[in-house]
Amino acid sequence: GAGVSQSPSNKVTEKGKDVELRCDPISGHTALYWYRQSLGQGLEFLIYFQGNSAPDKSGLPSDRFSAERTGGSVSTLTIQRTQQEDSAVYLCASSLGGGSKEQYFGPGTRLTVT
Amino acid sequence: LAKTTQPISMDSYEGQEVNITCSHNNIATNDYITWYQQFPSQGPRFIIQGYKTKVTNEVASLFIPADRKSSTLSLPRVSLSDTAVYYCLVGSHSGYSTLTFGKGTMLLVSP
């Protein structure tokens, strides 16, 4: 079946612009995660959805970052007034449940802020 | 959340067995131990998960001692394609808990 998909695959934006990143999880997966990964670094947790609610949004680095999930499916991560330090690969994952249940990752969106 | 410590990097040669050890001294009773593999320019991929003793699948084995304060991922007869970053994570199956990916162990397999 289809895996997790993300769009766009690459995004180049100017500093100060807003961007929206999209994640389509595997059908039926109730849990959805957003991470970001800077070059050569590990994964940084951003936010976790269980259904449409976000029990854990502790990883969002600032109030410029927000995310929503609708219909228990698609999720959008929005970054307002982008800064150069926001440049990274943004990864989305989904799973059948939260916690340590197996997460399936998408290919990521590479964001470059110039 | 239980913190994990693993080597930053390891080197090996094709055909050898590789063992990557992860320390998790403050693991909780409900926590499972999970390993992921990440190739360059890809998202991580689940390898194996265990709670205690030994777990084996077609890719790897996971050894967990009785005190569960550490675990060892064993990759038999590695090939060049096993060059990747390996992450050790600890967490419960609770729907309201999340996992923390550290920097992982960069395994380089040479010919």
Side-chain angles (χ1 to χ4, degrees):
Chain A
V4 177
S5 61
Q6 294 185 244
S7 61
S9 55
N10 281 285
K11 176 71 176 178
V12 180
T13 189
E14 291 180 354
K15 177 182 174 181
K17 301 283 190 182
D18 298 351
V19 295
E20 283 190 354
L21 311 180
R22 177 187 169 106
C23 173
D24 284 87
I26 293 173
S27 178
H29 280 192
T30 58
L32 186 147
Y33 304 80
W34 283 99
Y35 299 88
R36 74 176 175 182
Q37 187 169 35
S38 300
L39 189 64
Q41 301 298 309
L43 275 72
E44 177 187 2
F45 167 78
L46 298 179
I47 188 169
Y48 157 59
F49 287 94
Q50 182 63 253
N52 291 333
S53 64
D56 190 348
K57 53 179 76 172
S58 63
L60 294 177
S62 75
D63 58 8
R64 295 186 296 105
F65 287 73
S66 63
E68 65 175 11
R69 188 180 185 194
T70 56
S73 182
V74 172
S75 176
T76 302
L77 177 69
T78 301
I79 309 173
Q80 296 179 309
R81 305 180 303 282
T82 52
Q83 303 294 313
Q84 289 187 328
E85 60 263 29
D86 299 334
S87 297
V89 175
Y90 289 80
L91 290 159
C92 173
S94 70
S95 72
L96 282 171
S100 59
K101 298 289 176 57
E102 179 176 351
Q103 296 182 29
Y104 296 80
F105 282 79
T109 293
R110 180 174 298 278
L111 175 65
T112 303
V113 182
T114 61
Chain B
L1 296 174
K3 179 180 171 60
T4 60
T5 302
Q6 53 183 124
I8 295 174
S9 64
M10 292 183 69
D11 295 322
S12 184
Y13 294 96
E14 281 189 294
Q16 290 190 334
E17 178 184 80
V18 171
N19 297 307
I20 306 175
T21 297
C22 178
S23 297
H24 28 80
N25 290 319
N26 60 340
I27 188 170
T29 302
N30 295 332
D31 285 344
Y32 287 76
I33 300 155
T34 312
W35 286 79
Y36 282 79
Q37 174 191 56
Q38 185 179 27
F39 298 114
S41 302
Q42 294 185 24
R45 181 177 70 115
F46 174 93
I47 301 176
I48 197 166
Q49 183 179 82
Y51 183 80
K52 62 180 180 180
T53 64
K54 175 184 175 182
V55 180
T56 297
N57 61 23
E58 65 278 7
V59 176
S61 294
L62 178 59
F63 298 92
I64 306 169
D67 66 5
R68 304 200 325 124
K69 293 184 183 298
S70 67
S71 59
T72 299
L73 174 72
S74 181
L75 304 172
R77 298 178 298 282
V78 294
S79 64
L80 297 178
S81 63
D82 292 315
T83 292
V85 177
Y86 293 81
Y87 297 94
C88 165
L89 301 93
V90 172
S92 75
H93 279 333
S94 166
Y96 290 91
S97 68
T98 54
L99 296 178
T100 299
F101 285 79
K103 293 189 176 181
T105 296
M106 174 65 218
L107 172 65
L108 176 61
V109 180
S110 301

PDB file of all heavy atoms in Angstrom, chain B residues 55-94:
ATOM      1  N   VAL B  55      15.477 -10.716  20.908  1.00  0.00           N
ATOM      2  CA  VAL B  55      14.535 -10.671  19.799  1.00  0.00           C
ATOM      3  C   VAL B  55      15.334 -10.799  18.514  1.00  0.00           C
ATOM      4  O   VAL B  55      16.393 -10.184  18.380  1.00  0.00           O
ATOM      5  CB  VAL B  55      13.736  -9.353  19.795  1.00  0.00           C
ATOM      6  CG1 VAL B  55      12.760  -9.331  18.620  1.00  0.00           C
ATOM      7  CG2 VAL B  55      13.001  -9.157  21.105  1.00  0.00           C
ATOM      8  N   THR B  56      14.831 -11.582  17.581  1.00  0.00           N
ATOM      9  CA  THR B  56      15.521 -11.749  16.298  1.00  0.00           C
ATOM     10  C   THR B  56      14.517 -11.635  15.163  1.00  0.00           C
ATOM     11  O   THR B  56      13.421 -12.174  15.249  1.00  0.00           O
ATOM     12  CB  THR B  56      16.228 -13.113  16.238  1.00  0.00           C
ATOM     13  OG1 THR B  56      17.236 -13.165  17.256  1.00  0.00           O
ATOM     14  CG2 THR B  56      16.912 -13.316  14.890  1.00  0.00           C
ATOM     15  N   ASN B  57      14.910 -10.931  14.114  1.00  0.00           N
ATOM     16  CA  ASN B  57      14.113 -10.931  12.885  1.00  0.00           C
ATOM     17  C   ASN B  57      15.050 -11.139  11.711  1.00  0.00           C
ATOM     18  O   ASN B  57      16.224 -11.488  11.891  1.00  0.00           O
ATOM     19  CB  ASN B  57      13.267  -9.653  12.764  1.00  0.00           C
ATOM     20  CG  ASN B  57      14.100  -8.385  12.711  1.00  0.00           C
ATOM     21  OD1 ASN B  57      15.284  -8.412  12.356  1.00  0.00           O
ATOM     22  ND2 ASN B  57      13.476  -7.272  13.062  1.00  0.00           N
ATOM     23  N   GLU B  58      14.564 -10.928  10.522  1.00  0.00           N
ATOM     24  CA  GLU B  58      15.348 -11.242   9.326  1.00  0.00           C
ATOM     25  C   GLU B  58      16.497 -10.252   9.121  1.00  0.00           C
ATOM     26  O   GLU B  58      17.378 -10.493   8.310  1.00  0.00           O
ATOM     27  CB  GLU B  58      14.443 -11.262   8.086  1.00  0.00           C
ATOM     28  CG  GLU B  58      13.821  -9.932   7.719  1.00  0.00           C
ATOM     29  CD  GLU B  58      12.563  -9.610   8.523  1.00  0.00           C
ATOM     30  OE1 GLU B  58      12.239 -10.376   9.469  1.00  0.00           O
ATOM     31  OE2 GLU B  58      11.923  -8.601   8.199  1.00  0.00           O
ATOM     32  N   VAL B  59      16.483  -9.161   9.850  1.00  0.00           N
ATOM     33  CA  VAL B  59      17.484  -8.122   9.660  1.00  0.00           C
ATOM     34  C   VAL B  59      18.525  -8.110  10.767  1.00  0.00           C
ATOM     35  O   VAL B  59      19.718  -7.917  10.509  1.00  0.00           O
ATOM     36  CB  VAL B  59      16.804  -6.736   9.595  1.00  0.00           C
ATOM     37  CG1 VAL B  59      17.837  -5.636   9.492  1.00  0.00           C
ATOM     38  CG2 VAL B  59      15.831  -6.678   8.438  1.00  0.00           C
ATOM     39  N   ALA B  60      18.083  -8.279  12.014  1.00  0.00           N
ATOM     40  CA  ALA B  60      18.984  -8.079  13.147  1.00  0.00           C
ATOM     41  C   ALA B  60      18.519  -8.870  14.356  1.00  0.00           C
ATOM     42  O   ALA B  60      17.443  -9.460  14.360  1.00  0.00           O
ATOM     43  CB  ALA B  60      19.041  -6.582  13.500  1.00  0.00           C
ATOM     44  N   SER B  61      19.368  -8.830  15.380  1.00  0.00           N
ATOM     45  CA  SER B  61      19.005  -9.370  16.693  1.00  0.00           C
ATOM     46  C   SER B  61      19.178  -8.266  17.728  1.00  0.00           C
ATOM     47  O   SER B  61      20.019  -7.379  17.566  1.00  0.00           O
ATOM     48  CB  SER B  61      19.888 -10.564  17.065  1.00  0.00           C
ATOM     49  OG  SER B  61      19.648 -11.654  16.199  1.00  0.00           O
ATOM     50  N   LEU B  62      18.374  -8.358  18.749  1.00  0.00           N
ATOM     51  CA  LEU B  62      18.434  -7.377  19.829  1.00  0.00           C
ATOM     52  C   LEU B  62      18.591  -8.138  21.133  1.00  0.00           C
ATOM     53  O   LEU B  62      17.752  -8.988  21.453  1.00  0.00           O
ATOM     54  CB  LEU B  62      17.164  -6.533  19.852  1.00  0.00           C
ATOM     55  CG  LEU B  62      17.041  -5.478  20.953  1.00  0.00           C
ATOM     56  CD1 LEU B  62      18.181  -4.476  20.870  1.00  0.00           C
ATOM     57  CD2 LEU B  62      15.697  -4.760  20.850  1.00  0.00           C
ATOM     58  N   PHE B  63      19.665  -7.836  21.838  1.00  0.00           N
ATOM     59  CA  PHE B  63      19.952  -8.500  23.099  1.00  0.00           C
ATOM     60  C   PHE B  63      19.720  -7.518  24.242  1.00  0.00           C
ATOM     61  O   PHE B  63      20.266  -6.413  24.244  1.00  0.00           O
ATOM     62  CB  PHE B  63      21.409  -8.996  23.129  1.00  0.00           C
ATOM     63  CG  PHE B  63      21.702 -10.014  22.072  1.00  0.00           C
ATOM     64  CD1 PHE B  63      22.185  -9.634  20.836  1.00  0.00           C
ATOM     65  CD2 PHE B  63      21.486 -11.367  22.320  1.00  0.00           C
ATOM     66  CE1 PHE B  63      22.463 -10.575  19.855  1.00  0.00           C
ATOM     67  CE2 PHE B  63      21.758 -12.315  21.350  1.00  0.00           C
ATOM     68  CZ  PHE B  63      22.250 -11.919  20.112  1.00  0.00           C
ATOM     69  N   ILE B  64      18.932  -7.931  25.206  1.00  0.00           N
ATOM     70  CA  ILE B  64      18.606  -7.077  26.350  1.00  0.00           C
ATOM     71  C   ILE B  64      18.878  -7.864  27.626  1.00  0.00           C
ATOM     72  O   ILE B  64      18.250  -8.899  27.864  1.00  0.00           O
ATOM     73  CB  ILE B  64      17.118  -6.654  26.299  1.00  0.00           C
ATOM     74  CG1 ILE B  64      16.799  -6.003  24.946  1.00  0.00           C
ATOM     75  CG2 ILE B  64      16.798  -5.696  27.445  1.00  0.00           C
ATOM     76  CD1 ILE B  64      15.316  -5.796  24.702  1.00  0.00           C
ATOM     77  N   PRO B  65      19.813  -7.390  28.465  1.00  0.00           N
ATOM     78  CA  PRO B  65      20.110  -8.110  29.704  1.00  0.00           C
ATOM     79  C   PRO B  65      18.965  -7.969  30.697  1.00  0.00           C
ATOM     80  O   PRO B  65      18.045  -7.164  30.494  1.00  0.00           O
ATOM     81  CB  PRO B  65      21.369  -7.407  30.206  1.00  0.00           C
ATOM     82  CG  PRO B  65      21.294  -6.044  29.625  1.00  0.00           C
ATOM     83  CD  PRO B  65      20.624  -6.198  28.285  1.00  0.00           C
ATOM     84  N   ALA B  66      19.052  -8.730  31.760  1.00  0.00           N
ATOM     85  CA  ALA B  66      17.955  -8.789  32.723  1.00  0.00           C
ATOM     86  C   ALA B  66      17.649  -7.433  33.361  1.00  0.00           C
ATOM     87  O   ALA B  66      16.486  -7.105  33.607  1.00  0.00           O
ATOM     88  CB  ALA B  66      18.278  -9.810  33.820  1.00  0.00           C
ATOM     89  N   ASP B  67      18.671  -6.612  33.594  1.00  0.00           N
ATOM     90  CA  ASP B  67      18.400  -5.321  34.230  1.00  0.00           C
ATOM     91  C   ASP B  67      17.891  -4.276  33.248  1.00  0.00           C
ATOM     92  O   ASP B  67      17.477  -3.185  33.655  1.00  0.00           O
ATOM     93  CB  ASP B  67      19.642  -4.798  34.966  1.00  0.00           C
ATOM     94  CG  ASP B  67      20.791  -4.455  34.028  1.00  0.00           C
ATOM     95  OD1 ASP B  67      20.613  -4.519  32.792  1.00  0.00           O
ATOM     96  OD2 ASP B  67      21.880  -4.125  34.517  1.00  0.00           O
ATOM     97  N   ARG B  68      17.931  -4.568  31.979  1.00  0.00           N
ATOM     98  CA  ARG B  68      17.415  -3.726  30.889  1.00  0.00           C
ATOM     99  C   ARG B  68      18.051  -2.349  30.843  1.00  0.00           C
ATOM    100  O   ARG B  68      17.528  -1.437  30.192  1.00  0.00           O
ATOM    101  CB  ARG B  68      15.892  -3.583  31.002  1.00  0.00           C
ATOM    102  CG  ARG B  68      15.156  -4.883  31.019  1.00  0.00           C
ATOM    103  CD  ARG B  68      13.692  -4.851  30.654  1.00  0.00           C
ATOM    104  NE  ARG B  68      12.985  -3.681  31.083  1.00  0.00           N
ATOM    105  CZ  ARG B  68      12.314  -2.887  30.268  1.00  0.00           C
ATOM    106  NH1 ARG B  68      12.285  -3.119  28.974  1.00  0.00           N
ATOM    107  NH2 ARG B  68      11.670  -1.839  30.744  1.00  0.00           N
ATOM    108  N   LYS B  69      19.174  -2.164  31.467  1.00  0.00           N
ATOM    109  CA  LYS B  69      19.813  -0.846  31.468  1.00  0.00           C
ATOM    110  C   LYS B  69      20.666  -0.612  30.221  1.00  0.00           C
ATOM    111  O   LYS B  69      21.255   0.459  30.039  1.00  0.00           O
ATOM    112  CB  LYS B  69      20.659  -0.674  32.726  1.00  0.00           C
ATOM    113  CG  LYS B  69      19.810  -0.615  34.002  1.00  0.00           C
ATOM    114  CD  LYS B  69      20.678  -0.342  35.215  1.00  0.00           C
ATOM    115  CE  LYS B  69      19.851  -0.348  36.491  1.00  0.00           C
ATOM    116  NZ  LYS B  69      18.808   0.711  36.492  1.00  0.00           N
ATOM    117  N   SER B  70      20.748  -1.611  29.388  1.00  0.00           N
ATOM    118  CA  SER B  70      21.450  -1.462  28.120  1.00  0.00           C
ATOM    119  C   SER B  70      20.838  -2.426  27.123  1.00  0.00           C
ATOM    120  O   SER B  70      20.052  -3.317  27.505  1.00  0.00           O
ATOM    121  CB  SER B  70      22.947  -1.753  28.275  1.00  0.00           C
ATOM    122  OG  SER B  70      23.144  -3.124  28.577  1.00  0.00           O
ATOM    123  N   SER B  71      21.192  -2.265  25.871  1.00  0.00           N
ATOM    124  CA  SER B  71      20.756  -3.210  24.844  1.00  0.00           C
ATOM    125  C   SER B  71      21.802  -3.211  23.743  1.00  0.00           C
ATOM    126  O   SER B  71      22.547  -2.235  23.578  1.00  0.00           O
ATOM    127  CB  SER B  71      19.379  -2.843  24.288  1.00  0.00           C
ATOM    128  OG  SER B  71      19.392  -1.551  23.720  1.00  0.00           O
ATOM    129  N   THR B  72      21.856  -4.301  23.002  1.00  0.00           N
ATOM    130  CA  THR B  72      22.836  -4.423  21.923  1.00  0.00           C
ATOM    131  C   THR B  72      22.139  -4.840  20.648  1.00  0.00           C
ATOM    132  O   THR B  72      21.460  -5.883  20.607  1.00  0.00           O
ATOM    133  CB  THR B  72      23.926  -5.445  22.272  1.00  0.00           C
ATOM    134  OG1 THR B  72      24.622  -5.001  23.452  1.00  0.00           O
ATOM    135  CG2 THR B  72      24.923  -5.588  21.132  1.00  0.00           C
ATOM    136  N   LEU B  73      22.306  -4.035  19.628  1.00  0.00           N
ATOM    137  CA  LEU B  73      21.810  -4.373  18.300  1.00  0.00           C
ATOM    138  C   LEU B  73      22.905  -5.137  17.582  1.00  0.00           C
ATOM    139  O   LEU B  73      24.051  -4.665  17.500  1.00  0.00           O
ATOM    140  CB  LEU B  73      21.474  -3.093  17.511  1.00  0.00           C
ATOM    141  CG  LEU B  73      21.076  -3.296  16.056  1.00  0.00           C
ATOM    142  CD1 LEU B  73      19.671  -3.912  15.981  1.00  0.00           C
ATOM    143  CD2 LEU B  73      21.127  -1.986  15.278  1.00  0.00           C
ATOM    144  N   SER B  74      22.594  -6.300  17.083  1.00  0.00           N
ATOM    145  CA  SER B  74      23.575  -7.123  16.391  1.00  0.00           C
ATOM    146  C   SER B  74      23.186  -7.284  14.930  1.00  0.00           C
ATOM    147  O   SER B  74      22.081  -7.740  14.619  1.00  0.00           O
ATOM    148  CB  SER B  74      23.671  -8.499  17.065  1.00  0.00           C
ATOM    149  OG  SER B  74      24.643  -9.293  16.417  1.00  0.00           O
ATOM    150  N   LEU B  75      24.106  -6.895  14.053  1.00  0.00           N
ATOM    151  CA  LEU B  75      23.893  -7.019  12.609  1.00  0.00           C
ATOM    152  C   LEU B  75      24.845  -8.103  12.097  1.00  0.00           C
ATOM    153  O   LEU B  75      26.061  -7.926  12.124  1.00  0.00           O
ATOM    154  CB  LEU B  75      24.177  -5.692  11.905  1.00  0.00           C
ATOM    155  CG  LEU B  75      23.396  -4.488  12.406  1.00  0.00           C
ATOM    156  CD1 LEU B  75      23.917  -3.213  11.752  1.00  0.00           C
ATOM    157  CD2 LEU B  75      21.910  -4.654  12.111  1.00  0.00           C
ATOM    158  N   PRO B  76      24.306  -9.231  11.633  1.00  0.00           N
ATOM    159  CA  PRO B  76      25.187 -10.313  11.193  1.00  0.00           C
ATOM    160  C   PRO B  76      25.719 -10.065   9.785  1.00  0.00           C
ATOM    161  O   PRO B  76      24.991  -9.602   8.912  1.00  0.00           O
ATOM    162  CB  PRO B  76      24.254 -11.529  11.200  1.00  0.00           C
ATOM    163  CG  PRO B  76      22.899 -10.954  10.939  1.00  0.00           C
ATOM    164  CD  PRO B  76      22.891  -9.583  11.567  1.00  0.00           C
ATOM    165  N   ARG B  77      26.979 -10.328   9.576  1.00  0.00           N
ATOM    166  CA  ARG B  77      27.582 -10.297   8.230  1.00  0.00           C
ATOM    167  C   ARG B  77      27.162  -9.039   7.454  1.00  0.00           C
ATOM    168  O   ARG B  77      26.435  -9.114   6.459  1.00  0.00           O
ATOM    169  CB  ARG B  77      27.186 -11.550   7.447  1.00  0.00           C
ATOM    170  CG  ARG B  77      27.688 -12.833   8.096  1.00  0.00           C
ATOM    171  CD  ARG B  77      27.228 -14.052   7.315  1.00  0.00           C
ATOM    172  NE  ARG B  77      25.789 -14.192   7.264  1.00  0.00           N
ATOM    173  CZ  ARG B  77      25.033 -14.658   8.244  1.00  0.00           C
ATOM    174  NH1 ARG B  77      25.603 -15.020   9.387  1.00  0.00           N
ATOM    175  NH2 ARG B  77      23.723 -14.748   8.104  1.00  0.00           N
ATOM    176  N   VAL B  78      27.630  -7.894   7.929  1.00  0.00           N
ATOM    177  CA  VAL B  78      27.225  -6.639   7.306  1.00  0.00           C
ATOM    178  C   VAL B  78      27.772  -6.517   5.886  1.00  0.00           C
ATOM    179  O   VAL B  78      28.792  -7.099   5.533  1.00  0.00           O
ATOM    180  CB  VAL B  78      27.682  -5.427   8.142  1.00  0.00           C
ATOM    181  CG1 VAL B  78      26.961  -5.404   9.482  1.00  0.00           C
ATOM    182  CG2 VAL B  78      29.190  -5.408   8.323  1.00  0.00           C
ATOM    183  N   SER B  79      27.055  -5.736   5.093  1.00  0.00           N
ATOM    184  CA  SER B  79      27.479  -5.422   3.733  1.00  0.00           C
ATOM    185  C   SER B  79      27.608  -3.904   3.615  1.00  0.00           C
ATOM    186  O   SER B  79      27.244  -3.163   4.527  1.00  0.00           O
ATOM    187  CB  SER B  79      26.463  -5.949   2.720  1.00  0.00           C
ATOM    188  OG  SER B  79      25.226  -5.284   2.892  1.00  0.00           O
ATOM    189  N   LEU B  80      28.119  -3.462   2.475  1.00  0.00           N
ATOM    190  CA  LEU B  80      28.295  -2.019   2.264  1.00  0.00           C
ATOM    191  C   LEU B  80      26.975  -1.277   2.437  1.00  0.00           C
ATOM    192  O   LEU B  80      26.943  -0.138   2.900  1.00  0.00           O
ATOM    193  CB  LEU B  80      28.872  -1.759   0.878  1.00  0.00           C
ATOM    194  CG  LEU B  80      30.264  -2.324   0.594  1.00  0.00           C
ATOM    195  CD1 LEU B  80      30.671  -2.029  -0.842  1.00  0.00           C
ATOM    196  CD2 LEU B  80      31.284  -1.772   1.566  1.00  0.00           C
ATOM    197  N   SER B  81      25.890  -1.920   2.064  1.00  0.00           N
ATOM    198  CA  SER B  81      24.570  -1.281   2.136  1.00  0.00           C
ATOM    199  C   SER B  81      24.059  -1.111   3.562  1.00  0.00           C
ATOM    200  O   SER B  81      23.012  -0.492   3.760  1.00  0.00           O
ATOM    201  CB  SER B  81      23.556  -2.079   1.320  1.00  0.00           C
ATOM    202  OG  SER B  81      23.399  -3.376   1.874  1.00  0.00           O
ATOM    203  N   ASP B  82      24.759  -1.637   4.525  1.00  0.00           N
ATOM    204  CA  ASP B  82      24.376  -1.435   5.929  1.00  0.00           C
ATOM    205  C   ASP B  82      24.972  -0.155   6.489  1.00  0.00           C
ATOM    206  O   ASP B  82      24.707   0.205   7.641  1.00  0.00           O
ATOM    207  CB  ASP B  82      24.825  -2.623   6.787  1.00  0.00           C
ATOM    208  CG  ASP B  82      24.052  -3.889   6.466  1.00  0.00           C
ATOM    209  OD1 ASP B  82      22.810  -3.801   6.331  1.00  0.00           O
ATOM    210  OD2 ASP B  82      24.680  -4.961   6.347  1.00  0.00           O
ATOM    211  N   THR B  83      25.761   0.543   5.692  1.00  0.00           N
ATOM    212  CA  THR B  83      26.285   1.848   6.105  1.00  0.00           C
ATOM    213  C   THR B  83      25.112   2.802   6.292  1.00  0.00           C
ATOM    214  O   THR B  83      24.373   3.078   5.352  1.00  0.00           O
ATOM    215  CB  THR B  83      27.256   2.409   5.054  1.00  0.00           C
ATOM    216  OG1 THR B  83      28.429   1.596   5.020  1.00  0.00           O
ATOM    217  CG2 THR B  83      27.649   3.839   5.384  1.00  0.00           C
ATOM    218  N   ALA B  84      24.956   3.278   7.520  1.00  0.00           N
ATOM    219  CA  ALA B  84      23.789   4.093   7.857  1.00  0.00           C
ATOM    220  C   ALA B  84      23.952   4.606   9.284  1.00  0.00           C
ATOM    221  O   ALA B  84      24.913   4.263   9.975  1.00  0.00           O
ATOM    222  CB  ALA B  84      22.510   3.252   7.758  1.00  0.00           C
ATOM    223  N   VAL B  85      22.998   5.418   9.710  1.00  0.00           N
ATOM    224  CA  VAL B  85      22.933   5.842  11.100  1.00  0.00           C
ATOM    225  C   VAL B  85      21.910   4.977  11.814  1.00  0.00           C
ATOM    226  O   VAL B  85      20.820   4.747  11.295  1.00  0.00           O
ATOM    227  CB  VAL B  85      22.552   7.327  11.227  1.00  0.00           C
ATOM    228  CG1 VAL B  85      22.423   7.732  12.701  1.00  0.00           C
ATOM    229  CG2 VAL B  85      23.587   8.200  10.526  1.00  0.00           C
ATOM    230  N   TYR B  86      22.262   4.489  12.986  1.00  0.00           N
ATOM    231  CA  TYR B  86      21.387   3.615  13.766  1.00  0.00           C
ATOM    232  C   TYR B  86      21.013   4.323  15.070  1.00  0.00           C
ATOM    233  O   TYR B  86      21.869   4.771  15.814  1.00  0.00           O
ATOM    234  CB  TYR B  86      22.087   2.278  14.056  1.00  0.00           C
ATOM    235  CG  TYR B  86      22.301   1.483  12.801  1.00  0.00           C
ATOM    236  CD1 TYR B  86      23.380   1.749  11.957  1.00  0.00           C
ATOM    237  CD2 TYR B  86      21.390   0.499  12.416  1.00  0.00           C
ATOM    238  CE1 TYR B  86      23.558   1.040  10.773  1.00  0.00           C
ATOM    239  CE2 TYR B  86      21.558  -0.223  11.246  1.00  0.00           C
ATOM    240  CZ  TYR B  86      22.652   0.058  10.426  1.00  0.00           C
ATOM    241  OH  TYR B  86      22.805  -0.641   9.256  1.00  0.00           O
ATOM    242  N   TYR B  87      19.699   4.414  15.302  1.00  0.00           N
ATOM    243  CA  TYR B  87      19.185   5.109  16.478  1.00  0.00           C
ATOM    244  C   TYR B  87      18.598   4.110  17.474  1.00  0.00           C
ATOM    245  O   TYR B  87      17.835   3.215  17.092  1.00  0.00           O
ATOM    246  CB  TYR B  87      18.067   6.079  16.098  1.00  0.00           C
ATOM    247  CG  TYR B  87      18.468   7.202  15.179  1.00  0.00           C
ATOM    248  CD1 TYR B  87      18.314   7.094  13.807  1.00  0.00           C
ATOM    249  CD2 TYR B  87      18.983   8.385  15.698  1.00  0.00           C
ATOM    250  CE1 TYR B  87      18.662   8.133  12.964  1.00  0.00           C
ATOM    251  CE2 TYR B  87      19.334   9.441  14.853  1.00  0.00           C
ATOM    252  CZ  TYR B  87      19.173   9.293  13.493  1.00  0.00           C
ATOM    253  OH  TYR B  87      19.517  10.325  12.656  1.00  0.00           O
ATOM    254  N   CYS B  88      18.927   4.306  18.727  1.00  0.00           N
ATOM    255  CA  CYS B  88      18.358   3.533  19.823  1.00  0.00           C
ATOM    256  C   CYS B  88      17.365   4.423  20.559  1.00  0.00           C
ATOM    257  O   CYS B  88      17.701   5.557  20.921  1.00  0.00           O
ATOM    258  CB  CYS B  88      19.479   3.100  20.764  1.00  0.00           C
ATOM    259  SG  CYS B  88      18.944   2.498  22.377  1.00  0.00           S
ATOM    260  N   LEU B  89      16.142   3.956  20.756  1.00  0.00           N
ATOM    261  CA  LEU B  89      15.126   4.746  21.433  1.00  0.00           C
ATOM    262  C   LEU B  89      14.454   3.913  22.509  1.00  0.00           C
ATOM    263  O   LEU B  89      14.321   2.702  22.382  1.00  0.00           O
ATOM    264  CB  LEU B  89      14.049   5.210  20.455  1.00  0.00           C
ATOM    265  CG  LEU B  89      14.508   6.061  19.292  1.00  0.00           C
ATOM    266  CD1 LEU B  89      14.808   5.208  18.076  1.00  0.00           C
ATOM    267  CD2 LEU B  89      13.448   7.078  18.931  1.00  0.00           C
ATOM    268  N   VAL B  90      14.011   4.594  23.545  1.00  0.00           N
ATOM    269  CA  VAL B  90      13.327   3.926  24.645  1.00  0.00           C
ATOM    270  C   VAL B  90      12.032   4.669  24.937  1.00  0.00           C
ATOM    271  O   VAL B  90      12.027   5.893  25.045  1.00  0.00           O
ATOM    272  CB  VAL B  90      14.221   3.911  25.903  1.00  0.00           C
ATOM    273  CG1 VAL B  90      13.451   3.393  27.094  1.00  0.00           C
ATOM    274  CG2 VAL B  90      15.458   3.072  25.669  1.00  0.00           C
ATOM    275  N   GLY B  91      10.946   3.929  25.046  1.00  0.00           N
ATOM    276  CA  GLY B  91       9.667   4.562  25.355  1.00  0.00           C
ATOM    277  C   GLY B  91       8.576   3.531  25.506  1.00  0.00           C
ATOM    278  O   GLY B  91       8.726   2.378  25.089  1.00  0.00           O
ATOM    279  N   SER B  92       7.456   3.966  26.095  1.00  0.00           N
ATOM    280  CA  SER B  92       6.348   3.044  26.317  1.00  0.00           C
ATOM    281  C   SER B  92       5.414   3.049  25.110  1.00  0.00           C
ATOM    282  O   SER B  92       5.556   3.854  24.196  1.00  0.00           O
ATOM    283  CB  SER B  92       5.592   3.443  27.571  1.00  0.00           C
ATOM    284  OG  SER B  92       4.795   4.582  27.310  1.00  0.00           O
ATOM    285  N   HIS B  93       4.451   2.144  25.127  1.00  0.00           N
ATOM    286  CA  HIS B  93       3.449   2.093  24.065  1.00  0.00           C
ATOM    287  C   HIS B  93       2.297   3.056  24.342  1.00  0.00           C
ATOM    288  O   HIS B  93       1.341   3.106  23.578  1.00  0.00           O
ATOM    289  CB  HIS B  93       2.893   0.678  23.924  1.00  0.00           C
ATOM    290  CG  HIS B  93       3.769  -0.240  23.141  1.00  0.00           C
ATOM    291  ND1 HIS B  93       4.636   0.184  22.169  1.00  0.00           N
ATOM    292  CD2 HIS B  93       3.911  -1.590  23.180  1.00  0.00           C
ATOM    293  CE1 HIS B  93       5.269  -0.842  21.652  1.00  0.00           C
ATOM    294  NE2 HIS B  93       4.865  -1.936  22.237  1.00  0.00           N
ATOM    295  N   SER B  94       2.405   3.811  25.403  1.00  0.00           N
ATOM    296  CA  SER B  94       1.345   4.749  25.736  1.00  0.00           C
ATOM    297  C   SER B  94       1.073   5.690  24.577  1.00  0.00           C
ATOM    298  O   SER B  94       1.991   6.231  23.975  1.00  0.00           O
ATOM    299  CB  SER B  94       1.734   5.577  26.964  1.00  0.00           C
ATOM    300  OG  SER B  94       0.870   6.685  27.104  1.00  0.00           O
TER     301      SER B  94
END
